[in-house]
Amino acid sequence: MNPSTAAGDAAPATMQAVVVTRPGGLDALEIKEVPVPARKPGWVRIKVKAFGINESEVTTRKGESSSDVSYPRIPGIEGVGVVDESEEDSGLRPGQQVATMMGGMGRSYDGAYAQYVTVPSEQVIPFETGLPWEVVGALPEMFQTAYGSLITGLGLQAGQTLLIRGGTSTVGLSAATIAKDLGATVLSTTRSPERAGELRAAGVDHPLVDSRTIADQVRELVPDGVDAALELVGCSVLADTLRAVRRHGTVCFTGALAGQWTIPDFSPFMVPAGVHLTSYGGEAADLPADVFAHQLQAIAAGRLKVPVAKVYHGLEQVRAAQADVESGAMPGKHVVVLDD
């Protein structure tokens, strides 16, 4: 076993965590006193400072997740904080700022709705920033998904045109800011005309009102079709999104905000000739530390905007945060900060 390094102040024996012992409503989110997780070989223990609230965690609470979720479970697919204990050869040191996300976190093993969390070391992204935890806590899953979709999924380049279908989602807003930073021209959709201003604030060049068919609107602006499209609404509009893309352009299917993940009786001939269709569902490794550092610097400089909807303080506000996410009334990321 490799020797480990730990923070100067030893972790307590117990901690507070939000535990879902059974699927249910908001009352299924219970604050409990539980043992601080022991660090496994090859894993890192993190003292949690903040975490984002995600739709998938609402799904886990309701018992509607896939079979890899078992109960009791501490939810939370992402978090930021400082290293509490790590192996000496991990390259991570106690007190170092880190982010983590995905990889079964909060699903097949306990997640970040807690004062401490343990995760595999390869799932940890170190960083240094003076930004407040409430800002950094909004980023990991949101930026990893947006960046991975644009780079791994679409290979987006400066000077290209990008369509974001589902633009007022947290990933959609993040994708817009990242794409603009890369030098792309961005078209992005909303179902509500009054929310077009949110898209413009994120840097979108052409906000579009989505009436379930937008291909004609897109081609009025880009007659040959866009170079790339990020599909976040889902299969119910995928055929229309495909029609908005130029020959040899690419659509990346990343999300299904409308809830439809499959197409009954799918025919490959629904994909227009020469248009490429791919998907993205990556992990922490798709957001390299140097890229995350660049994004943090861009936020600090004001070039990237973080769509934070509301900040909550303490585990006792997790129920309110999940209720707000479920309502969909406030666009942007909902972040819980654990105050010392």
Side-chain angles (χ1 to χ4, degrees):
M1 181 181 296
N2 292 325
S4 65
T5 58
D9 296 327
T14 63
M15 67 176 184
Q16 286 196 322
V18 174
V19 183
V20 177
T21 57
R22 51 163 180 80
L26 292 169
D27 60 347
L29 297 165
E30 301 180 69
I31 297 179
K32 292 181 176 289
E33 195 79 13
V34 301
V36 168
R39 186 187 61 80
K40 303 175 187 176
W43 288 44
V44 177
R45 186 165 65 202
I46 299 168
K47 184 176 183 181
V48 178
K49 294 293 187 178
F51 53 85
I53 302 290
N54 298 279
E55 292 279 1
S56 66
E57 294 148 6
V58 175
T59 301
T60 293
R61 185 251 298 165
K62 290 180 173 181
E64 298 172 356
S65 293
S66 55
S67 58
D68 64 332
V69 178
S70 59
Y71 302 92
R73 177 64 62 225
I74 298 173
I77 66 169
E78 63 174 325
V80 295
V82 297
V83 173
D84 178 68
E85 184 178 289
S86 62
E87 291 181 353
E88 286 186 351
D89 62 358
S90 67
L92 300 168
R93 65 183 188 277
Q96 188 173 20
Q97 295 176 312
V98 291
T100 185
M101 80 289 285
M102 311 298 281
M105 183 178 174
R107 297 171 59 83
S108 58
Y109 60 89
D110 286 335
Y113 284 20
Q115 292 175 304
Y116 292 86
V117 65
T118 57
V119 299
S121 59
E122 64 268 17
Q123 197 176 303
V124 177
I125 303 172
F127 64 88
E128 293 183 19
T129 186
L131 292 168
W133 290 115
E134 62 201 55
V135 173
V136 184
L139 303 180
E141 186 273 343
M142 181 171 67
F143 266 30
Q144 176 263 321
T145 303
Y147 181 83
S149 297
L150 296 180
I151 302 305
T152 303
L154 292 169
L156 190 69
Q157 303 289 324
Q160 291 189 319
T161 50
L162 169 71
L163 168 66
I164 303 173
R165 194 82 184 255
T168 53
S169 65
T170 56
V171 172
L173 292 169
S174 297
T177 63
I178 295 169
K180 289 301 298 179
D181 193 49
L182 288 170
T185 298
V186 179
L187 297 74
S188 189
T189 73
T190 174
R191 290 176 299 173
S192 304
E194 62 271 16
R195 298 185 67 178
E198 297 170 26
L199 298 179
R200 292 191 182 92
V204 171
D205 299 285
H206 303 288
L208 303 175
V209 177
D210 193 342
S211 59
R212 297 184 68 84
T213 55
I214 61 164
D216 290 344
Q217 290 187 65
V218 170
R219 287 183 176 271
E220 286 178 7
L221 295 166
V222 188
D224 292 334
V226 293
D227 298 299
L230 173 56
E231 180 59 76
L232 300 171
V233 174
C235 289
S236 59
V237 299
L238 179 59
D240 183 61
T241 300
L242 286 162
R243 288 193 293 271
V245 177
R246 66 167 174 82
R247 182 167 291 189
H248 304 307
T250 303
V251 175
C252 180
F253 187 101
T254 294
L257 294 168
Q260 185 178 334
W261 290 92
T262 59
I263 299 175
D265 302 320
F266 171 80
S267 168
F269 292 105
M270 70 167 282
V271 182
V275 175
H276 305 149
L277 174 61
T278 187
S279 64
Y280 179 77
E283 303 293 346
D286 290 340
L287 183 59
D290 60 338
V291 171
F292 193 49
H294 172 76
Q295 292 170 340
L296 292 170
Q297 292 163 3
I299 292 166
R303 287 191 295 108
L304 287 185
K305 296 178 176 62
V306 182
V308 175
K310 188 174 179 180
V311 177
Y312 309 78
H313 293 271
L315 294 174
E316 61 274 11
Q317 291 199 4
V318 166
R319 286 185 181 181
Q322 276 212 4
D324 288 340
V325 167
E326 201 169 2
S327 75
M330 289 182 284
K333 193 77 175 191
H334 297 255
V335 182
V336 176
V337 177
L338 303 188
D339 299 315
D340 291 330

